Amino acid sequence: MTERLKVHDIAHARAGDKGDISSISVWAYDPKDYPLLKAQLTAQRLKDAYPKLLRGEVVRYELDHLHGLNFVLHDALEGGVNTSLNLDSHGKSFSYLILGLELETT
């Protein structure tokens, strides 16, 4: 039987920014859940889930020894903190969007 859960059930996230680039790290609470995150939380999955928000390149870095993933979102902040009129010019809400994605377990 397939069970669905949200990323936030097994992980937490942190966000940072530099210019027009947002960096979101997702960390498994328990190392045993990291393989599920690694298998299902891909750069393409993020692009597919939020195509209107993530218009630039999304690069995923795997931090296996820390049980985490880092996503670098290019051209994601409408120019960055100093030039954007976006209410979330730092991109903090991207971490909440990622944590809200569903995962499937068996």
Side-chain angles (χ1 to χ4, degrees), residues 10-63:
I10 62 170
H12 61 100
R14 297 285 296 167
D17 65 277
K18 192 67 165 178
D20 200 19
I21 298 172
S22 183
S23 176
I24 311 295
S25 294
V26 179
W27 308 99
Y29 291 126
D30 188 325
K32 74 173 176 54
D33 293 321
Y34 177 63
L36 178 63
L37 287 174
K38 189 174 175 180
Q40 294 189 33
L41 206 54
T42 65
Q44 190 59 52
R45 171 94 187 272
L46 298 187
K47 293 275 292 181
D48 291 345
Y50 306 109
K52 291 183 180 180
L53 295 174
L54 303 177
R55 294 177 294 241
E57 181 183 18
V58 175
V59 180
R60 182 180 89 165
Y61 296 95
E62 300 168 359
L63 300 131

Side-chain angles (χ1 to χ4, degrees), residues 29-100:
Y29 291 126
D30 188 325
K32 74 173 176 54
D33 293 321
Y34 177 63
L36 178 63
L37 287 174
K38 189 174 175 180
Q40 294 189 33
L41 206 54
T42 65
Q44 190 59 52
R45 171 94 187 272
L46 298 187
K47 293 275 292 181
D48 291 345
Y50 306 109
K52 291 183 180 180
L53 295 174
L54 303 177
R55 294 177 294 241
E57 181 183 18
V58 175
V59 180
R60 182 180 89 165
Y61 296 95
E62 300 168 359
L63 300 131
D64 294 338
H65 62 295
L66 298 173
H67 316 293
L69 302 169
N70 178 252
F71 295 92
V72 178
L73 316 174
H74 294 269
D75 303 317
L77 300 175
E78 296 180 5
V81 174
N82 294 326
T83 59
S84 176
L85 296 176
N86 188 331
L87 292 176
D88 183 21
S89 58
H90 291 283
K92 304 289 186 197
S93 61
F94 286 130
S95 60
Y96 294 102
L97 293 174
I98 292 170
L99 290 172

